[in-house]
Amino acid sequence: MKKWQKSTLIVTWIAACIVISVIYCEVKRLDQMRSDTMESDQKKRSNRSTVLTTEKQTSLENPTMQQNTEEDRKAVFEERRKDPLLLLVNKSHPLPETYEVTLATLPDGHQVAKVMYDDLEDMLADAGKAGCSIIVASAYRTKERQEQLLQQEIRKNMRNGMDEKEAEEDALLTVAPYGYSEHETGYTVDLVAAGNQMLDDTQETTKENKWLQKNCAQYGFILRYPKEKEEITGYSYESWHFRYVGKRAAQDITSDHLTLEEYLN
């Protein structure tokens, strides 16, 4: 074999060895990377498992964590129920027999709880500045007046063709029997537009009622019987019926779209 041929073979062999060595090293590197990735994934799974196990153990060992949350909620509700402005009066919560309220007389002769007088006057004055003319259609009622209104509604229904039972059931959807009416608390007013003093579905179409529903919470009032809450309140929607609960509660109730029942329970 010629000398130059031998040199070519040697160079070829060396090149082949280099290529094989490079391939071997690359294979080892890839294997190491896969191994590191698998080990890392395993550690992550192990860590997650440890965290979950620790959380579970913590929950089991410290049941007070969940209890505290529930107890805190109960404490909040209990504190709210102590607030006299949040007195709940409905078909299942009668007015306490010992209930007393200090009244103040509005310029039109209606009476309301003294504690809400200034906020009500401010609300009516600001509504006037906004171009709204609002009239107090009803406010505080004695138990005698409340019973009189219920009997009037029953008689009206009977004149319209209902039997006595039907007439009473229908009347109780809008008028409470005495002892169960918010009007007896002094915290409730029926507010209507001067240009439409009807207590019916047309009231919510007036600019006055729209202004009230938008702004009443700023003065401590809520729309007491809102739409789609009849099963909770026990009463049909009344766009004119506003209840004083204080500014903080009113803003919370209104912003969260709650009824007084939901806010207290």
Side-chain angles (χ1 to χ4, degrees):
M1 182 179 294
K2 295 180 181 181
K3 186 175 180 179
W4 65 269
Q5 290 179 324
K6 289 183 179 180
S7 299
T8 300
L9 287 173
I10 291 171
V11 171
T12 301
W13 180 80
I14 292 172
C17 289
I18 292 172
V19 171
I20 292 172
S21 178
V22 170
I23 293 173
Y24 175 77
C25 290
E26 184 65 17
V27 170
K28 291 288 290 182
R29 187 180 69 82
L30 292 174
D31 285 343
Q32 184 63 42
M33 288 177 64
R34 281 196 292 269
S35 176
D36 291 345
T37 301
M38 292 176 63
E39 184 177 352
S40 176
D41 290 343
Q42 186 175 4
K43 285 182 179 180
K44 289 180 181 178
R45 286 194 295 269
S46 177
N47 289 339
R48 282 197 294 268
S49 177
T50 300
V51 169
L52 290 173
T53 301
T54 301
E55 289 178 348
K56 185 176 181 180
Q57 289 176 342
T58 301
S59 178
L60 292 173
E61 294 171 2
N62 299 285
T64 54
M65 290 178 64
Q66 185 172 0
Q67 291 176 356
N68 285 342
T69 301
E70 184 62 24
E71 289 173 0
D72 289 344
R73 290 179 69 253
K74 288 181 179 179
V76 169
F77 288 132
E78 284 298 322
E79 194 63 28
R80 288 174 180 173
R81 295 186 193 110
K82 294 177 183 178
D83 187 344
L85 293 180
L86 300 178
L87 175 65
L88 182 63
V89 178
N90 58 24
K91 291 179 179 179
S92 57
H93 292 82
L95 194 71
E97 293 183 3
T98 57
Y99 180 76
E100 293 182 356
V101 59
T102 301
L103 299 170
T105 304
L106 296 170
D108 66 359
H110 284 98
Q111 290 184 304
V112 297
K114 185 177 180 179
V115 68
M116 65 175 264
Y117 181 92
D118 289 339
D119 286 331
L120 176 60
E121 285 289 276
D122 287 345
M123 182 169 70
L124 296 178
D126 288 346
K129 294 175 184 177
C132 299
S133 181
I134 297 173
I135 290 177
V136 178
S138 183
Y140 170 75
R141 298 173 189 161
T142 63
K143 66 178 183 179
E144 291 80 13
R145 176 56 177 162
Q146 188 63 34
E147 179 63 16
Q148 181 185 27
L149 290 173
L150 177 60
Q151 293 304 320
Q152 286 178 358
E153 189 69 13
I154 292 173
R155 288 194 294 271
K156 183 191 77 173
N157 288 341
M158 292 179 69
R159 287 195 300 270
N160 290 335
M162 297 184 188
D163 61 34
E164 186 174 357
K165 182 179 179 181
E166 291 174 333
E168 183 176 359
E169 289 177 351
D170 184 79
L172 288 173
L173 292 175
T174 54
V175 183
Y178 76 86
Y180 293 82
S181 171
E182 282 202 328
H183 281 281
E184 294 174 75
T185 66
Y187 296 143
T188 296
V189 284
D190 290 341
L191 302 175
V192 298
N196 178 6
Q197 299 181 32
M198 301 299 294
L199 300 181
D200 59 21
D201 293 342
T202 64
Q203 193 59 226
E204 69 173 336
T205 66
T206 66
K207 66 178 181 179
E208 285 81 3
N209 191 261
K210 292 177 181 178
W211 187 93
L212 284 168
Q213 293 204 32
K214 181 180 179 181
N215 297 285
C216 67
Q218 300 175 31
Y219 304 89
F221 291 84
I222 61 171
L223 181 65
R224 182 64 179 89
Y225 303 132
K227 287 181 178 179
E228 300 178 358
K229 297 281 188 174
E230 290 84 355
E231 291 186 3
I232 297 173
T233 64
Y235 289 97
S236 300
Y237 167 58
E238 294 185 358
S239 63
W240 56 86
H241 186 114
F242 293 88
R243 162 69 189 268
Y244 187 74
V245 293
K247 294 178 181 179
R248 180 178 178 181
Q251 290 168 8
D252 289 343
I253 291 171
T254 301
S255 63
D256 291 338
H257 305 288
L258 300 175
T259 63
L260 183 58
E261 283 82 0
E262 292 169 311
Y263 187 66
L264 294 177
N265 295 282

